Amino acid sequence: MVGKIIGTGSYIPEKYLDNNDLAQIIETSDKWIRERTGIIRRHVVETETTVSMAAAAADNALQNSGIHADEVELILLCTVSSDVILPSAACEVQQRIGAVNATAFDLNAACAGFVFAYVMAQGYIAAKIYRTILIIGSESLSKLVDWKDRGTCILFGDGAGAAVIRAAAGQRYLPVTGSDGESGLSLTLKSRFWQEDAAARSYIGMDGQAIFKFAVKKVPQAIRGVLKKNRINPRTIDWFILHQANQRIIDAVIKRLGISEDKFPSNVAEYGNTSSASIPILLDEMVQKGLLEKGQKIVLAGFGAGLSWGAVVLKW
Ligand code: COA
């Protein structure tokens, strides 16, 4: 028994800020941002919230999978930017979409979140605990960045993506996942409730170069690792869907793996880094464009704060 993705969905806020908009508020330029990151625009919430985007992406995924909300047995919602803590964002989504038979909870694994949720979903399905699982990544990172910090605010964006996973006959693949708490201080966000000064706000803090080095080393290792573990020839993989952090990271991974760049779709130019939402947004975009064909083998790879990383193989 394996969990198959039977439907995907996404939600992107209409409003966006392009690099020239940012150059109005911080000392930067379109050229600098494009060259260092490949990012041109990032979409940002107006009236939307992390919960509302998650629910919209979930509705979309349910519709595309052709199942009713009451068939969902588990909702895993990955986020680091929820507008609610109690109840969990997942419970709020459960209520909004009418998934009355689902158990629901949140998962924080930052930009590795969607891959970790996928691995959890496969575990629940293999153990025959749940058969139909909705996994969602939803982020409002525009609320967590310091818009005066040009080293971070240029990178992040908002949005949500979701996938419905259902038990089916088929081959199971083992994942590769890991965390390195020792290096955790290179990407941080302190909870606002623990600030000495209650009025002080905390924002995403990042050692950009440390994260860059971590990503270009760990992601190829995780991808090679997951292919070796499952005895799969890298050439037989049709798509490598990476967390969309930065085009330079994606390009460095392509170079290290020595695989054709055509197999690495990217939409970071349009959305920036949407953390746990980036992989399901890209997956849904590929479905909408008709790029995914039955039987194709796909690698998903996520990485980010924790530091954490993970790679999985799936058959479409
Ligand atoms: N516009 C113009 N100049 C900027 C800038 C901006 N938006 N941000 C930083 N700079 C400046 C710095 O102040 C520095 O100036 P200085 O040399 O006068 O001190 C210079 O550019 C170089 O800064 P540096 O941080 O060394 O740049 P970089 O080449 O490492 O690029 C990142 C910065 C953030 C683009 C890069 O480190 C990166 O992509 N890291 C990975 C981040 C990431 O993906 N995080 C999420 C992972 S899930």
Side-chain angles (χ1 to χ4, degrees):
M1 204 49 87
V2 64
K4 287 261 187 196
I5 296 181
I6 60 164
T8 59
S10 60
Y11 179 90
I12 307 290
E14 210 170 302
K15 183 179 175 187
Y16 66 82
L17 296 172
D18 66 23
N19 295 343
N20 291 319
D21 293 325
L22 296 192
Q24 306 287 319
I25 54 172
I26 47 169
E27 209 181 316
T28 191
S29 67
D30 177 50
K31 185 169 181 289
W32 194 97
I33 301 174
R34 278 187 200 231
E35 281 176 6
R36 305 280 173 127
T37 70
I39 298 167
I40 299 171
R41 267 186 287 273
R42 68 288 295 141
H43 291 245
V44 294
V45 290
E46 289 183 283
T47 54
E48 299 96 339
T49 63
T50 297
V51 166
S52 76
M53 293 193 294
D59 268 336
N60 205 212
L62 288 174
Q63 207 173 354
N64 290 334
S65 63
I67 70 161
H68 288 112
D70 60 10
E71 295 175 60
V72 175
E73 293 163 82
L74 177 68
I75 299 172
L76 292 173
L77 199 162
C78 319
T79 185
V80 296
S81 51
S82 182
D83 41 308
V84 290
I85 294 189
L86 298 176
S88 67
C91 284
E92 291 236 323
V93 169
Q94 181 219 20
Q95 186 269 331
R96 284 185 187 225
I97 66 174
V100 288
N101 296 313
T103 300
F105 62 94
D106 295 350
L107 186 162
N108 170 359
C111 305
F114 191 80
V115 170
F116 282 18
Y118 179 87
V119 171
M120 278 180 84
Q122 293 297 340
Y124 279 121
I125 285 169
K128 300 196 166 99
I129 296 171
Y130 304 115
R131 292 191 69 244
T132 306
I133 301 177
L134 174 61
I135 60 176
I136 311 168
S138 183
E139 306 285 3
S140 312
L141 301 174
S142 63
K143 300 278 186 193
L144 303 184
V145 292
D146 179 356
W147 288 98
K148 292 191 279 306
D149 176 10
R150 64 179 183 171
T152 52
C153 74
I154 57 158
L155 297 173
F156 299 102
D158 303 339
V164 178
I165 302 183
R166 185 162 250 193
Q171 192 181 349
R172 253 188 306 139
Y173 297 107
L174 293 170
V176 164
T177 59
S179 294
D180 169 20
E182 282 288 331
S183 308
L185 290 181
S186 44
L187 188 44
T188 57
L189 175 64
K190 233 184 168 168
S191 166
R192 281 167 193 175
F193 313 112
W194 291 92
Q195 299 293 302
E196 297 253 323
D197 172 2
R201 299 198 69 175
S202 52
Y203 299 103
I204 290 178
M206 187 182 69
D207 177 344
Q209 291 189 2
I211 295 292
F212 193 93
K213 281 184 200 145
F214 149 74
V216 301
K217 185 170 161 211
K218 247 333 162 201
V219 179
Q221 265 177 15
I223 292 175
R224 280 199 200 100
V226 80
L227 294 177
K228 193 164 171 217
K229 207 173 193 176
N230 294 290
R231 300 198 181 137
I232 296 174
N233 182 336
R235 285 180 220 291
T236 66
I237 298 293
D238 296 285
W239 300 106
F240 293 84
I241 302 182
L242 270 48
H243 164 50
Q244 303 287 294
N246 177 326
Q247 190 59 45
R248 271 206 306 150
I249 292 177
I250 298 170
D251 291 343
V253 171
I254 293 171
K255 202 164 161 204
R256 286 193 182 208
L257 289 174
I259 293 170
S260 162
E261 62 180 357
D262 300 343
K263 293 188 172 186
F264 289 75
S266 165
N267 61 12
V268 72
E270 178 64 34
Y271 305 122
N273 178 346
T274 56
S275 191
S276 68
S278 84
I279 291 177
I281 289 173
L282 182 52
L283 201 54
D284 187 47
E285 214 171 76
M286 294 177 74
V287 171
Q288 302 312 321
K289 287 182 184 162
L291 293 173
L292 301 182
E293 289 165 23
K294 194 167 158 42
Q296 285 188 331
K297 280 202 208 91
I298 301 171
V299 166
L300 308 181
F303 55 94
L307 299 174
S308 288
W309 60 91
V312 295
V313 186
L314 60 96
K315 208 177 225 176
W316 196 251

